[in-house]
Amino acid sequence: MHRRTFLKAGSLVGAAFATRQARAFDLWKNTARKRIALVGTGIRGSSLWGRNLVENYGEQVEFVGLCDINPGRVEFVKGAMGVDCPAYTDFDKMMNEQQPEWVIVTTMDSTHDIYIIRAMELGAHVITEKPMTTTAEKTQAILDAQDRHGKEVLVTFNYRHSPHNTAIKQQLHDGAVGKMTSVDFHWYLNVYHGASYFRRWHGYVKNSGSLWVHKATHHFDLLNWWIDAKPVAVTALGALEHYGKNGPYRGESCRTCPHKNECPYYWDITKDEYLMDLYVDNEEYDGYIRDSCVFREDIDIWDKMSAQIEYDNDVVVNYSLTTYSPYEGYRIAFNGHDGRLDSWEDIPYQRGEYTEAEQGAMHSDEMTFKTDEVPTEFHEIIVHKNFEPEFESIKVPKFRYGHGGGDQRMLDYLFVNPDAADPLGHMAGTTDGAYSVLIGIAARKSIAEGRRVRLDELVKV
Ligand SMILES: NC(=O)c1ccc[n+]([C@@H]2O[C@H](COP(=O)([O-])OP(=O)(O)OC[C@H]3O[C@@H](n4cnc5c(N)ncnc54)[C@H](O)[C@@H]3O)[C@@H](O)[C@H]2O)c1
C-alpha cells in the first residue's frame, strides 16, 4: 500500500479564514470601539475574556463594567486586568449605569440563562461562553427571549476554530467520504484534566448540567457542525464509578486533607499565586472551595458516558467520554458510501512520546492564550476512498495553546475581522448552542428513563 502525504492544510486553513462570508452582526461591525461589560470574573472571564482582551484587542473593545456575585473576586480581577471601569455585584445596576453594547457571559453554566436573557431585555447583544445553558426549560427561555428582543447571541465554540477541526470540516465539506452514514467519536480526559471537574462546581448536575452538557457541548457542537445536520434522538448510558463516593478516603479540601501523601489526586493550589488570589482569598464571600475533594460523597455527575446520536440525515454517531484516562486526546472516524476519514489528537503511542509532566500541563496549556506559537508538530487526517489502494495523509500544523489555536482565531474573527467571509460557518448562535446542549440533556433523560429520547420532546428550536 502506498501512502501520499500532503502538507497542504496550513494554506487550506488560511484560505478558509480569509474567505469567510459576511455575517449579519451589523452592529458589531460598523462601530468603532465596542463598549463591553463582562459578568463572571472567574478564570475564563478574567483571562481569555479579560486580561487577554485588554492586552491584545484594546483597540477594538473597551470594558465599561465588570460584575460577579463575589465582591472580592470582581475587585481583584479589575486590578489584574488593569481596567478602570466600575466593578459591580448587581447586574441590573451595571447595565443601567453603563449601557454596554455587548455583554460577555462567563458565569457558572447554570446561571448563563439569567444574564443572556436579562442583557437582551436591557438592550445589549450577548457573547456567551459554552454551554449556552444546562436545561431544556432554560434553552427554551433563551430562544424565546431572543425572538422577543431580536438581539444577537453568539455562543463561543472555540474548538470549531482550531486549524485541525477546521481542516476536518473542510475535508467533509469537500466530500471526502461521500454521503456520510456514521461517526465514531471518543474523547479522553486525562487524570489531571478529568479530575479537575470533580474538584469544582462542575461536580453537581445543578451547576454544570454534568459533563454531558458542560464538556460534551463542545463535542456535540463539533459533531453537529461536521455532520451538517440536526440531531433528532439520543440513547445513552452513564455511570459514576471512579470519583465521588467511589474514592477510598476523602477530605474537605486538598489544602487540609489528611490523605495528601497517599491520594494520587492531591493538588496543591497554594503553588499558584493567581488561583490563590482569585479563589482562596475570596472564599469568605461565597464559601466556594476551589480545591475540593474529588471523592466528595455528594458528587452526582457521571464519569463514564456513552451515547448513540441519530441525525435527520440518517447519520448515526457512537460517542463516548472518559474522565480518568492516562492521556488526553480524541479519536474520530467518519464513514461514508465513498470511504472513510480518520483523525485523532494526542494519542501518545502514535505520537511516539508520553511524559507525565506534559499530561499534567495539557489543560493549563489549553487554557493559555498565545499569539506567537510556532507549531512544531502536525495533526494527521487520513482520507481513504473505497476500492482505492492509496490513502491520503493530510497534515495540519498542531497548535497546543488556546484550545488548539481556536481561541485566537475565534477572537480575531469576533473583534478584528467581523466582515470576513465564513464559508465553513464557524460562527455559532443560539440554534447551535441549543442543539449542542440538547444532546447532553437528552442523554441525561435517556439514562434516567432507560429509553431513547427525541430532542423535539425537550424544546422547540
Ligand atoms: N470555551 C472554553 O473552552 C471554556 C473554557 C473554560 C471555561 N469555559 C466556560 O466559562 C464559564 C466560566 O468558567 P470558569 O472556569 O471561569 O469558572 P469559575 O468558577 O472560575 O468562574 C465562574 C465565575 O462566575 C461567578 N458566578 C457564579 N454564579 C454567579 C451568578 N449567579 N452571578 C454572577 N456570577 C456568578 C463566580 O463567582 C465565578 O467568579 C463556564 O460557563 C465555562 O463552561 C469555557
Side-chain angles (χ1 to χ4, degrees):
M1 184 173 288
H2 302 289
R3 178 186 171 110
R4 287 185 282 135
T5 299
F6 296 88
L7 280 171
K8 70 181 181 188
S11 56
L12 172 156
V13 170
F17 281 99
T19 56
R20 289 172 191 274
Q21 272 163 10
R23 307 248 341 153
F25 310 135
D26 292 331
L27 233 157
W28 183 262
K29 289 186 224 165
N30 298 326
T31 51
R33 234 171 141 215
K34 309 298 180 296
R35 292 169 47 76
I36 288 188
L38 181 142
V39 58
T41 55
I43 189 70
R44 188 73 172 163
S46 67
S47 53
L48 184 87
W49 298 104
R51 215 166 31 186
N52 169 54
L53 287 196
V54 173
E55 285 171 7
N56 295 306
Y57 299 87
E59 287 179 15
Q60 289 83 23
V61 300
E62 175 194 5
F63 279 96
V64 298
L66 300 177
C67 181
D68 198 285
I69 42 164
N70 187 311
R73 183 143 54 237
V74 71
E75 278 300 339
F76 164 70
V77 166
K78 179 181 160 179
M81 283 171 59
V83 287
D84 56 11
C85 64
Y88 295 86
T89 52
D90 181 331
F91 183 73
D92 276 22
K93 187 164 189 285
M94 174 176 79
M95 294 298 291
N96 290 328
E97 288 182 5
Q98 302 304 327
Q99 305 274 318
E101 290 168 274
W102 287 77
V103 171
I104 300 176
V105 179
T106 48
T107 55
M108 186 168 74
D109 302 346
S110 58
T111 65
H112 288 180
D113 62 308
I114 302 170
Y115 298 108
I116 294 172
I117 294 172
R118 193 67 185 138
M120 287 194 280
E121 280 169 1
L122 295 175
H125 302 283
V126 177
I127 296 173
T128 181
E129 261 300 351
K130 49 55 58 176
M132 187 172 82
T133 188
T134 52
T135 69
E137 294 73 23
K138 292 175 180 184
T139 306
Q140 189 74 65
I142 291 170
L143 296 172
D144 294 347
Q146 192 181 27
D147 279 349
R148 275 198 308 279
H149 300 291
K151 298 291 178 187
E152 291 290 353
V153 179
L154 308 181
V155 186
T156 55
F157 285 120
N158 44 354
Y159 275 106
R160 289 187 182 193
H161 296 259
S162 88
H164 181 207
N165 294 332
T166 297
I168 292 175
K169 171 76 180 173
Q170 181 80 60
Q171 285 299 319
L172 296 169
H173 182 262
D174 293 348
V177 300
K179 163 87 177 78
M180 196 190 299
T181 53
S182 66
V183 183
D184 313 323
F185 192 20
H186 304 288
W187 196 286
Y188 319 110
L189 294 169
N190 71 21
V191 280
Y192 303 97
H193 187 188
S196 78
Y197 294 111
F198 295 82
R199 247 183 213 119
R200 299 181 277 163
W201 50 259
H202 311 61
Y204 304 101
V205 174
K206 69 175 173 13
N207 294 337
S208 63
S210 81
L211 297 179
W212 277 120
V213 171
H214 173 83
K215 188 68 195 168
T217 184
H218 274 306
H219 313 152
F220 298 147
D221 176 67
L222 282 173
L223 284 166
N224 297 346
W225 183 58
W226 280 326
I227 295 169
D228 200 14
K230 290 194 184 93
V232 290
V234 178
T235 312
L237 295 171
L240 175 61
E241 296 173 334
H242 187 81
Y243 300 109
K245 60 183 183 313
N246 301 289
Y249 37 68
R250 51 198 46 81
E252 281 295 308
S253 71
C254 281
R255 263 168 293 159
T256 58
C257 188
H259 304 286
K260 276 180 192 170
N261 294 330
E262 65 222 270
C263 182
Y265 292 107
Y266 170 65
W267 175 64
D268 189 356
I269 192 173
T270 65
K271 289 195 174 137
D272 188 321
E273 198 183 333
Y274 189 72
L275 296 187
M276 290 294 285
D277 291 340
L278 191 66
Y279 300 110
V280 177
D281 287 357
N282 297 305
E283 280 172 4
E284 61 182 290
Y285 298 106
D286 57 9
Y288 176 54
I289 307 293
R290 174 63 181 79
D291 60 339
S292 282
C293 182
V294 299
F295 296 136
R296 292 189 311 287
E297 302 262 5
D298 59 350
I299 286 175
D300 65 355
I301 61 171
W302 297 265
D303 58 18
K304 177 178 85 175
M305 287 151 276
S306 166
Q308 285 189 319
I309 310 158
E310 299 162 52
Y311 282 78
D312 68 355
N313 63 353
D314 298 328
V315 167
V316 174
V317 171
N318 279 290
Y319 168 83
S320 73
L321 177 58
T322 303
T323 57
Y324 39 85
S325 167
Y327 57 83
E328 182 103 352
Y330 77 66
R331 284 185 179 287
I332 191 145
F334 298 85
N335 299 297
H337 287 294
D338 295 350
R340 178 173 160 104
L341 182 155
D342 282 276
S343 197
W344 58 90
E345 280 196 5
D346 296 328
I347 308 296
Y349 51 87
Q350 284 178 261
R351 241 181 109 210
E353 217 179 299
Y354 173 93
T355 68
E356 198 65 22
E358 193 182 52
Q359 287 297 321
M362 276 175 98
H363 181 49
S364 59
D365 289 352
E366 186 176 65
M367 292 285 286
T368 303
F369 189 85
K370 271 201 175 180
T371 51
D372 56 355
E373 183 181 0
V374 179
T376 55
E377 293 181 67
F378 293 96
H379 289 297
E380 200 168 358
I381 299 170
I382 304 290
V383 175
H384 198 157
K385 302 278 190 197
N386 291 345
F387 306 111
E388 284 193 12
E390 294 189 340
F391 57 88
E392 254 186 79
S393 166
I394 296 144
K395 296 204 166 165
V396 187
K398 172 177 173 176
F399 291 84
R400 168 171 299 288
Y401 294 93
H403 296 91
D407 283 339
Q408 188 193 344
R409 284 161 182 77
M410 178 181 74
L411 293 185
D412 283 352
Y413 177 72
L414 271 176
F415 300 119
V416 184
N417 303 311
D419 283 321
D422 187 14
L424 296 178
H426 279 80
M427 297 310 290
T430 47
T431 306
D432 310 281
Y435 278 123
S436 70
V437 294
L438 286 172
I439 296 175
I441 294 166
R444 291 195 319 236
K445 196 172 172 69
S446 173
I447 295 169
E449 299 178 9
R451 66 177 179 94
R452 172 178 176 268
V453 173
R454 287 189 58 89
L455 268 57
D456 58 15
E457 293 174 38
L458 305 173
V459 161
K460 284 194 177 52
V461 180

